[in-house]
Structures are given as C-alpha cells and as structure tokens.
Amino acid sequence: MALFAYVNGRYELQRGAGVHIEDRGYQFADGVYEVIAVQNGRLIDEVGHLDRLERSLSALEIAAPMDRAPLGLIMRRLLEKNRIDNGMIYLQITRGVAPRNHAFPEGMKPSIVMTARRLKPFSRSHFRQGVCVITRPDTRWKRCDIKSISLLPNILSKQEAVRSGAFEAWLVDDAGNITEGASSNAWIVTGDARVVTRDAGGAILNGITRQRIIALARENGLSLEERPFSLEEATEAAEAFTTSSTALLRPVVKIDDRVIADGEPGPFSLKLLDLYAAHMERGGEAP
Ligand code: PDD
C-alpha cells in the first residue's frame, strides 16, 4: 500500500512528497523532531513528546506551527490513512524556507512534515533478547537536550555499530562517562540493585521512554539514581539496558568486547521491560 505523508497542510503520497530546496532544515539542519511509538493504535506518551517538542522549538526560537490539538488530530489521521496500528510517527518541524543565510529572518513560517511507518507489534520474546553495544567518543555539542535534526555524530556512531554487528553505539564523554546511545538512553544496574542512568542536562536527550522508566521504577520501589557512570562501571555492572521510543527497552549483554555479568538479560531489565509493556497496554499515558 502506498504511504501518505503530511507536508505543510496536505496529505501527499510519500513517494513524491518534498519540501523546498531552501528549507533551512535541508540546508542547516535547522529544525527539531519527535518519534512517537504507536501500539494498538495508541500514541505512546503523546503528552511527553509534545511537551518536549515545545521545549525544543522554544530553545531554537522556532514558532510552533500549530496547537497541540490539531497536531494530535493530524497524527491520528495520518495513521488512519496509512492503516497503521503498530509503528511510529515521525514529526519534523524546521524554521522554514528563506534564501540561504546563517542568520534567519524574524517571523518565518515553519515547515512541518509527518510520516508514519508500520512496525511489528510488540513481542515480549523479541524485546527480552539481549543486544550488544559498542562505544564511541561523544563528539556532540553541549545542547543534546534539544531534539534537533542535526544528528551527524549520532548517525556516524550508529553506522559503526551496525558495521560491527552491534545494536547501538553508546557515547563516552571526555571524562570517560557514558552519556547515552546514538539514538537511545543508556542504563546500568549496579551489583547492589541500584538502577542508574545519566542525569538529564545538556549532555543527553531526556528520553520520553527514560522518563517513563524512571517513573515506573520509582512507583515499583526500585532504587534509582540519575548520575554519570563511567564505561568501567558499566562493564562491571550487574545489568545494562538501553531505551527509546522505537527500541523500547533492550537488555545490553555486551559492551565492546566485555560481557556484562553472565551475558544474559538480568532480572531488573526484564522487570522494567514488563512494566513498560504493561504501560503500553494501558494506552501509554500518565496514570
Ligand atoms: N531517538 N537519545 C537520543 C540521542 C535519541 O535520539 C533518542 C531517541 C533517545 C530516546 O528518546 P525517546 O525515549 O524519547 O525516544 C535518547 C529516536 C527514537 C530517533 O531518533 O529515531
């Protein structure tokens, strides 16, 4: 079935859809995006994603092209038109079209594009399988909290992961601490059962899945710490896992050539995966 995209007010066949060559997203990566998981027709944690979208837009001084209500309607209409129940929505907003110039004119009309993609429905057995990650130096800027479409260090690191047969690249900062994955957040579980992930700030994207897992961990009485952790601490951890809207939660069983614990997904990772799966089954919004 041919897919439809939403492009600046119109639903168009994705195959031929395009934006202007002087769109600043195309020329400067001057824009932001969101990826929202769709499970059983429900947009998982839509509110969190739209909150973050608004923060990213305002950090870049890009005007929101529309309110939340019409955004939500368009996302649902796009899913309907594409007959997608399980998959994801990609939503991108750029500053808009202007003659190329680093400085931008005031009052620009932002461009908005949405696509939808079908993915296999969630399967516990698939997501319970452990994955390997490699590590790469984190060469990104200091505003990784903005979900910018400028992703060169991320895509180059991910490509190296794929080339070496790994699921993800975890990025290591100059102090030797893991920040996050190329397209996911990084977690470990210590030998004394503390779940640890990097604190939210300019060094990471504050994942919506990350925020949800933190809430679920706390609600379920797990001990949780948001703090930097080193590559060394990670390789000696009892468990590790990585989270994102599309990867959901994947246990990590190997970092570079170091096997984590006994090389099997650990109980905390699997417990949190189950809690997250239950959250999605409930439809994904705040309790
Ligand atoms: N990426 N960190 C980075 C650098 C990311 O790109 C992502 C998500 C995350 C996790 O965020 P969330 O839980 O909100 O998906 C963390 C999306 C999936 C992507 O670029 O396709």
Side-chain angles (χ1 to χ4, degrees), residues 3 28 111 146 153 181 187 189 205 207-208 212 226 255 276 285 287:
L3 283 172
F28 291 113
S111 304
I146 301 171
W187 304 69
V189 183
L205 180 77
I208 303 306
R212 180 58 62 187
E226 294 179 71
I255 303 176
Y276 192 71
E285 276 314 337

Side-chain angles (χ1 to χ4, degrees), residues 22-25 30 62 93-98 108-111:
E22 284 198 308
D23 191 283
R24 288 179 61 96
D30 186 3
I62 297 176
I93 298 172
T94 67
R95 196 178 303 279
V97 177
M108 285 188 63
K109 184 171 180 280
S111 304

Side-chain angles (χ1 to χ4, degrees), residues 45-191:
D45 291 333
E46 177 183 358
V47 173
H49 283 280
L50 295 184
D51 284 347
R52 185 173 64 188
L53 178 67
E54 284 172 9
R55 275 202 308 278
S56 298
L57 285 169
S58 97
L60 299 189
E61 297 175 44
I62 297 176
M66 63 180 79
D67 292 338
R68 281 178 183 222
L71 261 185
L73 285 176
I74 294 166
M75 290 194 281
R76 285 171 180 81
R77 180 89 188 98
L78 191 64
L79 291 174
E80 253 170 55
K81 280 182 93 67
N82 287 307
R83 303 210 185 111
I84 292 176
D85 274 335
N86 292 288
M88 52 166 267
I89 293 264
Y90 177 78
L91 156 55
Q92 174 175 305
I93 298 172
T94 67
R95 196 178 303 279
V97 177
R100 186 178 182 281
N101 190 356
H102 283 64
F104 47 85
E106 299 291 329
M108 285 188 63
K109 184 171 180 280
S111 304
I112 174 163
V113 166
M114 281 185 223
T115 54
R117 186 188 294 174
R118 183 172 294 107
L119 296 170
K120 288 194 191 121
F122 172 73
S123 122
R124 258 194 180 74
S125 58
H126 175 75
F127 281 87
R128 287 172 78 95
Q129 286 165 33
V131 297
C132 304
V133 302
I134 59 165
T135 57
R136 304 300 307 150
D138 193 340
T139 58
R140 300 174 302 162
W141 71 332
K142 296 188 172 72
R143 291 304 310 274
C144 298
D145 55 311
I146 301 171
K147 199 161 172 63
S148 149
I149 58 172
S150 171
L151 288 170
L152 273 177
N154 307 61
I155 62 164
L156 293 175
S157 310
K158 181 72 108 189
Q159 187 64 18
E160 287 193 55
V162 168
R163 244 184 228 137
S164 58
F167 179 78
E168 176 62 303
W170 277 6
L171 307 176
V172 181
D173 67 16
D174 291 345
N177 292 320
I178 291 169
T179 51
E180 62 180 333
S183 64
S184 60
N185 289 113
W187 304 69
I188 57 169
V189 183
T190 63

Side-chain angles (χ1 to χ4, degrees), residues 238-263:
E239 299 183 29
F241 60 93
T242 207
T243 60
S244 81
S245 298
T246 45
L248 310 182
L249 184 156
R250 294 302 298 264
V252 170
V253 294
K254 204 168 145 205
I255 303 176
D256 294 325
D257 54 0
R258 300 279 301 270
V259 174
I260 306 303
D262 62 359

